[in-house]
Amino acid sequence: MRAATLAFCYLSAISASAANIWFDPPNPTSRTSVVAHVLGAYCARGPMGSTVTRTGNLISISLKFDCTVGVPILAGFDEIVDLGVLPAGVYEVVAGPNELLIAIAEGKLTVRDASSPLQISPEQGNYGDILTIRGAGIAPVCAVAPCPVPRVFVGDREAVVLRTPDTDTIVASLVSARRSGVVDVTVQSAGRTFQSIAGFYYSPVVLDDSQSSFREPIDPAFFEPMLIPVAINGAGAFGSRWTTEVTLRNENDFPFAAYTIFDNSCMPVCDIRMHPHTSRLIRPNQPNGYLFYVSRQGAPNAFFGILLRDLSHQSEALGTEMRVVREKDFFDRPFTIVNVPSDMRFRVALRLYRIDGGTTLSLRIRTLDAIEGYGPSAEQPPLVDAPITLALRGDRLASAYIGDLLTAYPQLAGKGALRVEISGTPSQRAAWAFVSVTNNETQHVTIISPQ
């Protein structure tokens, strides 16, 4: 009986091809403790603990299952595993059941060097880019001229040193292309070697309109995900004609990659680099939103704008501004959207998102002030208490859309101002939502977001 049960579990694991691993924080350093969120499907009873083994750059997670309890059926789970503090490097992380040689989930984890002797700007790029490398004494002055020129290696490719403005600075050019991925940066100078482990990301030079152009998955250690919540270009209700203008401005002194798999403004091939002090405007058509990946190093000086306009009423209003949701704006805890109307003159839509691998959220809707008296027992039952399943998309984004809350939940009509409460699974790391309120007569849109 046990052999048959284990055989079933084995087949269940093989079928769980959609599983994944997410890391928190997404950009750890060699001084940061890392937690892995293992998402997968296996037998009915979820993991009852785990063991972690590291051999070089391979981290193996053995999840402990007991498939003999009850009838073993394929069931999803979300297990949190503490990986601890890791040395700088790039790791392959594989999770499997009961030390069997099968993988339920696997992923790549990049740990940056917290005490690197080199500071590199920009820390991502490819052929043709100029790098400025700083570090104490990396370009020393020789007592006898001529001084040997320092050598710079970015991964397995040697860069050409252009100049050394001072003893702590080297300016070098990447003169050969390389497939995308994380590499070390090494400086050899005056008999000394300086190295930044996992210090640079080779970006693809160009990007076409297909996700398959990503030669490597986007590495969260180097790139910050940002959510464009809605991008509509086309006809809407009541004769409306919508257009969405998304703009990005790079105020850095260096170019950086800005990935979006839906940018078709320069078909068939796009230059994905945002050059210094330049702007880009696109008009994508992705009603359910999409993720935009920006260099972490350049993100503080990257500025966005989203303008949602109804062209059929452009003589009355320019449009509605929508926010770009940066990584820090996502919620790892329950959150609330307040002062949502329940007036039938408006179409009240709710959009929900997760970018942490999860596909479920819980929705509760109450009146804005649903408390009588004091204490926990004074909270009145919610008008809506429902689970929401989000559709997982290929760009790590899961989303759900309720087009009209008052139609979906008629009990809300005429209840005055509402509060929308949203929560996720215990391992929720990055969820967000917003409400759009559209006037049925004027088509004017008001955005209400959690703040």
Side-chain angles (χ1 to χ4, degrees):
M1 176 64 184
R2 181 171 176 80
T5 300
L6 288 176
F8 180 89
C9 290
Y10 178 88
L11 293 174
S12 297
I14 294 298
S15 66
S17 59
N20 214 327
I21 295 181
W22 304 83
F23 303 103
D24 189 14
N27 56 329
T29 73
S30 54
R31 295 175 183 167
T32 307
S33 183
V34 186
V35 172
H37 297 271
V38 183
L39 289 80
Y42 204 61
C43 40
R45 190 171 181 178
M48 297 174 291
S50 61
T51 58
V52 178
T53 304
R54 180 169 67 87
T55 304
N57 286 69
L58 175 64
I59 298 175
S60 301
I61 301 173
S62 178
L63 300 171
K64 301 182 185 303
F65 289 93
D66 183 358
C67 298
T68 63
V69 178
V71 179
I73 59 173
L74 190 66
F77 65 87
D78 184 349
E79 183 74 358
I80 301 176
V81 180
D82 186 4
L83 302 182
V85 178
L86 298 168
V90 181
Y91 297 89
E92 295 290 339
V93 184
V94 180
N98 301 331
E99 300 181 353
L100 298 178
L101 297 179
I102 54 177
I104 293 179
E106 56 185 322
K108 182 174 290 186
L109 170 64
T110 298
V111 179
R112 305 292 302 277
D113 189 351
S115 56
S116 172
L118 304 176
Q119 293 78 50
I120 304 151
S121 179
E123 57 186 16
Q124 49 75 42
N126 212 315
Y127 172 76
D129 286 334
I130 306 297
L131 307 184
T132 299
I133 304 171
R134 294 182 173 87
I138 62 174
V141 175
C142 299
V144 179
C147 287
V149 177
R151 301 182 70 184
V152 175
F153 296 87
V154 185
D156 57 357
R157 306 298 169 91
E158 185 169 4
V160 172
V161 174
L162 301 178
R163 58 187 181 275
T164 54
D166 53 60
T167 59
D168 299 333
T169 306
I170 297 173
V171 178
S173 174
L174 297 174
V175 294
S176 58
R178 185 189 183 279
R179 77 186 301 269
S180 61
V182 180
V183 298
D184 301 337
V185 177
T186 305
V187 173
Q188 297 175 353
S189 178
R192 300 178 62 190
T193 298
F194 307 83
Q195 189 171 57
S196 176
I197 300 174
F200 188 82
Y201 182 89
Y202 268 99
S203 303
V205 179
V206 294
L207 176 70
D208 64 26
D209 204 44
S210 166
Q211 189 180 15
S212 63
S213 62
F214 291 130
R215 298 163 180 81
E216 295 271 347
I218 297 299
D219 195 315
F222 285 84
F223 293 92
E224 177 183 341
M226 300 185 183
L227 174 67
I228 308 296
V230 175
I232 301 176
N233 280 278
F238 300 97
S240 57
R241 292 183 293 114
W242 297 101
T243 185
T244 306
E245 298 175 345
V246 179
T247 54
L248 168 61
R249 175 73 182 177
N250 177 18
E251 289 293 5
N252 293 283
D253 293 329
F254 54 83
F256 64 78
Y259 293 97
T260 167
I261 65 172
F262 297 119
D263 183 356
N264 58 6
S265 59
C266 51
M267 284 286 287
V269 173
C270 295
D271 181 351
I272 63 174
R273 293 173 298 170
M274 280 296 302
H275 294 280
H277 309 289
T278 62
S279 303
R280 180 174 296 174
L281 185 150
I282 59 175
R283 293 182 176 88
N285 188 28
Q286 294 296 324
N288 294 319
Y290 65 96
L291 288 181
F292 201 93
Y293 297 91
V294 173
S295 157
R296 287 191 182 277
Q297 187 183 41
N301 288 317
F303 300 93
F304 290 91
I306 306 178
L307 185 62
L308 183 65
R309 303 170 58 197
D310 176 15
L311 298 180
S312 68
H313 289 78
Q314 59 183 324
S315 62
E316 303 171 15
L318 177 63
T320 298
E321 180 189 34
M322 186 174 298
R323 68 186 298 186
V324 169
V325 188
R326 295 180 182 251
E327 187 176 54
K328 64 180 178 60
D329 298 323
F330 283 88
F331 290 89
D332 60 358
R333 59 194 181 278
F335 60 97
T336 301
I337 305 172
V338 295
N339 202 19
V340 176
S342 61
D343 193 321
M344 295 298 292
R345 294 176 300 172
F346 305 104
R347 300 192 305 280
V348 182
L350 174 65
R351 297 179 186 268
L352 307 100
Y353 308 88
R354 287 186 69 168
I355 62 170
D356 57 3
T359 57
T360 59
L361 288 170
S362 296
L363 171 66
R364 292 182 178 88
I365 304 178
R366 310 174 191 264
T367 60
L368 185 60
D369 187 5
I371 298 179
E372 294 180 1
Y374 299 92
S377 62
E379 182 75 81
Q380 299 301 301
L383 300 171
V384 174
D385 188 351
I388 303 295
T389 299
L390 289 72
L392 184 63
R393 303 171 60 195
D395 58 348
R396 303 183 182 182
L397 170 66
S399 63
Y401 171 54
I402 303 175
D404 192 333
L405 282 176
L406 304 185
T407 298
Y409 307 108
Q411 66 269 32
L412 298 176
K415 295 296 184 180
L418 306 172
R419 73 178 195 259
V420 177
E421 303 169 353
I422 298 165
S423 60
T425 60
S427 64
Q428 171 189 324
R429 181 173 62 83
W432 196 75
F434 79 98
V435 170
S436 62
V437 182
T438 306
N439 187 297
N440 289 328
E441 181 177 349
T442 66
Q443 300 305 306
H444 180 73
V445 176
T446 300
I447 302 297
I448 306 175
S449 58
Q451 304 197 34

